[in-house]
Amino acid sequence: MNAEQIRLVRETWKLILPMRTAVAELFYSKLFELEPRLRPLFKSDLERQGEKLIAMLDAAVRGLDHPHVLGPALKDLGQRHVRYGASENDYGTVAVSLLWTLEQSLGAAFTVDARRAWTEAYATIVAMMHSR
């Protein structure tokens, strides 16, 4: 990711944080609408799961320009997702749900450039999750 993309992701993320609970609910609602078979993978309380999602995204957003620090944590997260039963195809569904949620939550602030930056950020995060 380039510096401008990182700036856009961080700028829009600051707008998301005050509405984090609603954003997490919206994300999971869309995710399960798109792929109902994923619902059983989330055995814990969805409110708690939403908190984990926001915390992970917050760490990722803060660490985008420090992949050497972020990478090991994301690799561990990727390994846990495999144990939970997530498949490679599920990451595409998560991307669709995440981008849709950002668009719904940010409105006009989710510009074409912001969408591209988030798409790149997500690809970067997934690549780190799958690193060997």
Side-chain angles (χ1 to χ4, degrees):
M1 293 187 69
N2 66 42
E4 177 61 13
Q5 289 172 320
I6 292 171
R7 185 193 67 75
L8 278 170
V9 167
R10 286 181 175 158
E11 184 178 284
T12 53
W13 184 244
K14 286 178 188 175
L15 300 173
I16 290 293
L17 285 174
M19 51 185 160
R20 64 177 58 94
T21 301
V23 168
E25 288 172 7
L26 195 59
F27 169 82
Y28 284 110
S29 175
K30 185 63 171 181
L31 181 66
F32 301 145
E33 174 189 321
L34 293 171
E35 191 55 75
R37 71 169 182 76
L38 292 178
R39 179 59 184 100
L41 297 181
F42 296 88
K43 296 176 181 18
S44 68
D45 171 23
L46 268 186
E47 185 176 329
R48 178 72 182 118
Q49 186 62 43
E51 291 170 3
K52 290 178 183 180
L53 171 72
I54 297 299
M56 185 281 300
L57 285 171
D58 190 57
V61 167
R62 285 185 285 111
L64 284 173
D65 51 356
H66 301 292
H68 59 284
V69 175
L70 184 59
L74 288 176
K75 182 177 179 179
D76 180 60
L77 180 65
Q79 291 169 343
R80 286 196 317 268
H81 278 82
V82 169
R83 288 193 304 271
Y84 300 150
S87 73
E88 289 295 318
N89 292 336
D90 296 334
Y91 289 94
T93 307
V94 168
V96 170
S97 183
L98 177 62
L99 293 171
W100 180 87
T101 300
L102 292 168
E103 180 178 33
Q104 299 304 305
S105 302
L106 293 169
F110 198 57
T111 63
V112 171
D113 288 339
R115 175 182 286 279
R116 284 188 195 120
W118 272 100
T119 300
E120 185 64 28
Y122 183 75
T124 300
I125 290 166
V126 169
M128 285 188 226
M129 289 174 71
H130 292 123
S131 68
R132 303 230 183 259

